[in-house]
Amino acid sequence: VIPLDEARAHVLAACHPRPPVVLPLDDILGCVLAERVVADEPVPPFANTAMDGYAVRAADTSGAPVELDVVGTLAAGAAPSTPVGAGQAIRIMTGAPVPDGADAIVPVEVTAALDGGRRVRIEAAARPGDHVRPAGEDLAPGQEVFPAGTVLGPGHLGVLASVGRAEVRVQPPVRVGVLSTGDELVEAGRPLQPGQIRDSNRHTLVALCRRSGFDAVDLGLARDDPDEIEKLVREGLSRCDALVTSGGVSVGDFDYVKEVLDRVSGGSMRWMQIAIRPAKPFALGVADGKPIFGLPGNPVSSMVSFELLAGPGLRRMAGFPDDRLDRPRLLGVADEPLRRRADGKILFVRVLAEPGPDGRYHVRSSGGQASNLLRSMALANALAVVPDGDGVDAGGDVELMLL
Ligand code: AMP
Ligand code: MG
């Protein structure tokens, strides 16, 4: 039995980022930037108004209320043709360029149109720069937009678009093949025969991959039959960058998963027992340069194993920086005792964590904790990390891994 950190280190040693690719913006949500992006144009590209109102010379408004001549109108998208002279104003809409001569915007709310719009009364004095968004306020030419290694969210894609980038160099998305194994398993929608259960792991694991930003390929369900397992594993290796299997990695199974993965991986599989509960058994190997994660069959174990081991490995392959490989952790407070027995293992308790009036997360168990009870995992939004010992008292601090 090895510590979790040791198993995680084996995983990270088997997972490497792949060569970068150039992809269009709309294909790279969740990808990691593989270049340092520098702005070659200012954002915004020109000084423009943040408000609907009047472009004025601030000095003209110092004796407000004052009346100015309105010499034009500017909508967003229009290029200014007339400058604002002394005693003049130009009606202007949000986003329109600030015309020459003007140095401030007076919001329409503090003005009154006169003479059918040919003149305007300014009720309050403006200071130079009021409601003007200067050119390059967000980004100046030559300024770093984002460094390599940035994980791209929706806002990042918008910023890249705003500096005129239609495509960027990123770490390629990771394609993960997901395979279930076990003679007892049946697809949802088929009748259950005596002794059979439904295959839930494939659905959770495909979904975990997708929610983590990976492309998931459903490789289906293999009977406990070496030829069938090998066929699907080889198909997965040919189509995917990594494989996630569930079932057949614990001791006392029909050993076909082991036999096949050992053969396909050229003997590189490492069959581990990890000092955690749930998700003790775990296997890892490399075939054709592609990692294979052998997750345990129990539904909760396979999810926890993904969160703790496969997920970080796959994020390493996707080029995530070291401090973004794992789910975030924070300290919460137990609202009920989280009891356990000392057994040398770290216990991961499915909990509901809710913010309390003290600004901290308060946790209670989300249900039964046996590794086959998947509903309590679905209801949980965090795993409480309970170190070896006799547990945590009500009111005690508890480390949370946020799901
Ligand atoms: P194994 O790791 O193959 O020994 O399986 C451990 C437990 O998980 C057994 O009770 C299996 O029936 C169950 N199990 C294995 N694979 C799945 C699956 N894909 N969906 C639901 N339960 C599974
Ligand atoms: Mg099995």
Side-chain angles (χ1 to χ4, degrees), residues 235-249:
E235 182 197 331
L237 288 170
S238 71
R239 292 173 63 192
C240 304
D241 307 307
L243 294 190
V244 171
T245 69
S246 74
V249 300

Side-chain angles (χ1 to χ4, degrees), residues 89-108:
I90 286 181
R91 212 160 78 89
I92 193 166
M93 310 305 150
T94 302
V98 175
D100 284 349
D103 61 1
I105 306 297
V106 179
V108 69

Side-chain angles (χ1 to χ4, degrees), residues 54-58 60-61 67-72 82-91 100-102 104 118-120 122:
Y54 291 86
V56 300
R57 298 170 171 242
D60 286 353
T61 67
E67 291 183 16
L68 303 175
D69 291 328
V70 179
V71 296
T82 337
V84 173
Q88 295 181 336
I90 286 181
R91 212 160 78 89
D100 284 349
R118 284 196 299 276
R119 288 173 65 71
V120 61
I122 307 292

